[in-house]
Amino acid sequence: MTIKERVFSGVQPTGNLHLGNYLGAITRFVALQDSHDCIYCVVDMHAITQAVSVWGGPEGLAQNTREVTAAFIAAGIDPERHIVFNQSQVSAHAELAWIFNCVARMGWLNRMTQFKEKAGKHRENASVGLYDYPVLMAADILAYRATHVPVGEDQKQHLELSRDIAQKFNTDFAASAAEAGYEDGFFPLPEPLITGPATRVMSLRDGTKKMSKSDPSDMSRIKMTDDADTIAKKIRKAKTDPEPLPSEADGLEGRPEAKNLIGIYAALAGQSEDEALSQFGGSQFSDFKKALAEVTVELVAPVAAEMRRLLDDPAEIDRVLASGADRARAIAEPIMVDVKKIVGFISSK
Ligand code: AMP
Ligand code: TRP
C-alpha cells in the first residue's frame, strides 16, 4: 500500500509567538499548501507540560490557542483547504501516545536535549508530561500517518525519535500489520523539513541563544504582536559588536549577533546571506539596523493587524478550530481502528 504525502506540524500556545516561530515554522507551513495536504495543529496538550505560570492557566491557554490560530490564518494558511485545529479536540493524539509510550524506550527519551534544557537543574520537579513530550509529538504526526514535518532546527532530535518509534512499531507488529494489509510497515517514517534561511533565529540579546517564547527578557524577541515602534526599539537595542559588517560570509565567523541579524534580514528580504552581505558589507550597525527595522515592520505589521482583526471575533476562530478538528478526526479515527487491531486490542469497530 503506498502512502500519500501529508504534512503535519504543530506550534505550542504558550504565548509570546515570535519572529523565530514565524520564519522557522509558520512561513514554511504557508509555502507547503500548494504541493501538499497539510494539517496544522495548535498543540495545547504540549503547552500544559510546563509550569502553569508558563502557559498562563486556563484563560491564558484559551487566549494563546486563539492567538496561534489567528497567526496561522493571518500568515496565509487557508483553513478551508487545509486543516487547522487544536490538539485536545482529537482524542487520537492521547490514545496513540499511550501506545507509543509502550514502544519508546527510556534510553531514547533520556537522550532528549530539549527535556534537559527545559527541566534544568530541578529534574525531579519536571512534570512526567514534559519528559514524555516527544512521544506525544510522535503520536501527533503518526495519528495521521503524516510523511513530512516542517519545523525549526531545534525539533530535529524529536523528529528522529518519531522515526525510531515508527520503525520499532513497524518491526514489533510486522506480522499483524501485514495481515491487516500493510506489508511495508504501518507507519511512514516522517521526514523533517528543516529548510529556508532562518531555521534557527537567535536571541536579540545573545547571539548564542535561540530566540524563545520563555526568555525572561522581552527585548530578546520580536513578537508577532509588537507594534512598529516596539520592533524598531528592539532592533535598535539589539546586541552587536563594534566592527562594521563584513562583506563576505567568512567575516561572520565568531560574530554570532552579526550573523543572526544578517540572517533575519536575508530571510525577510527574500535574499541569500551573501546578497545581504554584499549590500551591507562595510556598513555600521546603526545604518544596517534601520534597514532591518524597516523590512521587519513591513512584514510583521500587516500580519499583526490581521491577527488583531481575527481575535476580535473569538467565536469565528473557535468555529475554524471545531471544523478543523472534525476533519482531523475523520482522518485519524480509521487509522486508530487499524492501530488497535494491529496491536491486538479487541474492538467492536
Ligand atoms: P514552539 O514555540 O516550541 O512551539 O515552536 C514552534 C515552531 O517554531 C517549531 O517548528 C520550532 O522549531 C520553531 N521555532 C521555535 N523557535 C525558533 C527559532 N528561534 N528559530 C527558528 N524556528 C523556531
Ligand atoms: N514540539 C514542537 C515545538 O515545540 C511542537 C510540536 C508538537 C510539533 N507536536 C508536533 C511539531 C508535531 C511538529 C510535529 O516546536
Side-chain angles (χ1 to χ4, degrees):
M1 200 172 282
T2 54
I3 291 167
K4 189 166 184 277
E5 285 199 351
R6 177 177 282 145
V7 163
F8 183 97
S9 195
V11 173
Q12 297 185 75
T14 34
N16 291 339
L17 200 66
H18 54 71
L19 197 60
N21 298 131
Y22 188 71
L23 295 176
I26 299 173
T27 57
R28 319 306 311 158
F29 300 177
V30 175
L32 286 159
Q33 294 183 104
D34 288 332
S35 50
H36 290 78
D37 288 336
C38 304
I39 305 177
Y40 295 128
C41 185
V42 187
V43 288
D44 46 10
M45 287 156 63
H46 277 105
I48 66 167
T49 58
Q50 283 180 276
V52 178
S53 58
V54 172
W55 49 271
E59 270 171 39
L61 187 63
Q63 171 62 24
N64 290 330
T65 299
R66 294 190 185 107
E67 193 172 297
V68 174
T69 310
F72 283 175
I73 300 169
I77 291 169
D78 180 349
E80 304 293 326
R81 274 202 302 141
H82 299 278
I83 295 178
V84 172
F85 75 108
N86 58 311
Q87 186 184 29
S88 59
Q89 294 209 59
V90 180
S91 60
H93 296 250
E95 286 187 45
L96 187 57
W98 182 260
I99 295 171
F100 284 172
N101 277 335
C102 305
V103 174
R105 307 287 93 186
M106 294 285 286
W108 301 357
L109 287 179
N110 286 340
R111 285 195 285 276
M112 295 295 116
T113 56
Q114 192 162 81
F115 173 75
K116 292 178 196 164
E117 279 160 25
K118 283 193 180 168
K121 288 196 201 89
H122 307 287
R123 204 174 292 188
E124 298 291 309
N125 241 334
S127 73
V128 175
L130 187 67
Y131 183 71
D132 202 32
Y133 178 113
V135 175
L136 178 59
M137 180 164 162
D140 295 341
I141 300 163
L142 293 167
Y144 304 92
R145 301 171 84 222
T147 54
H148 292 82
V149 185
V151 279
E153 175 73 37
D154 61 343
Q155 296 303 309
K156 196 169 174 217
Q157 193 185 36
H158 288 162
L159 256 296
E160 278 157 19
L161 184 91
S162 297
R163 295 169 65 88
D164 289 343
I165 290 174
Q167 180 75 66
K168 183 161 159 54
F169 181 98
N170 288 348
T171 310
D172 288 354
F173 298 101
S176 59
E179 224 167 273
Y182 300 93
E183 280 85 11
D184 303 329
F186 184 71
F187 288 116
L189 306 188
E191 275 182 43
L193 297 176
I194 304 175
T195 54
T199 55
R200 192 170 170 83
V201 175
M202 309 308 277
S203 156
L204 299 181
R205 306 303 297 164
D206 177 350
T208 63
K209 276 191 356 204
K210 74 170 182 184
M211 186 177 284
S212 95
K213 292 169 175 163
S214 57
D215 193 308
S217 166
D218 205 48
M219 294 300 283
S220 69
R221 61 186 157 253
I222 291 172
K223 287 190 297 205
M224 293 313 293
T225 47
D226 281 341
D227 61 28
D229 287 347
T230 310
I231 292 173
K233 185 173 109 194
K234 287 179 176 176
I235 291 178
R236 205 165 52 240
K237 300 219 160 162
K239 185 176 172 201
T240 52
D241 57 41
E243 302 295 317
L245 285 157
S247 23
E248 277 165 32
D250 286 355
L252 291 172
E253 215 56 37
R255 299 179 66 185
E257 285 82 18
K259 187 170 170 55
N260 185 39
L261 296 181
I262 282 286
I264 294 175
Y265 182 89
L268 289 169
Q271 293 183 350
S272 66
E273 189 180 88
D274 286 342
E275 282 167 333
L277 286 171
S278 69
Q279 190 179 341
F280 292 102
S283 300
Q284 298 299 325
F285 273 105
S286 50
D287 294 327
F288 168 65
K289 281 178 165 181
K290 284 191 195 114
L292 179 60
E294 232 167 77
V295 284
T296 310
V297 169
E298 221 169 274
L299 194 122
V300 173
V303 178
E306 180 62 4
M307 278 174 70
R308 274 193 294 277
R309 195 188 66 78
L310 292 163
L311 286 165
D312 269 347
D313 189 356
E316 173 58 18
I317 294 190
D318 294 0
R319 194 201 59 76
V320 166
L321 292 171
S323 149
D326 286 343
R327 288 178 284 145
R329 246 179 255 119
I331 299 171
E333 274 172 5
I335 292 176
M336 287 309 295
V337 167
D338 282 349
V339 169
K340 289 179 186 174
K341 193 191 310 169
I342 288 167
V343 171
F345 290 146
I346 289 174
S347 151
S348 57
K349 290 209 179 104

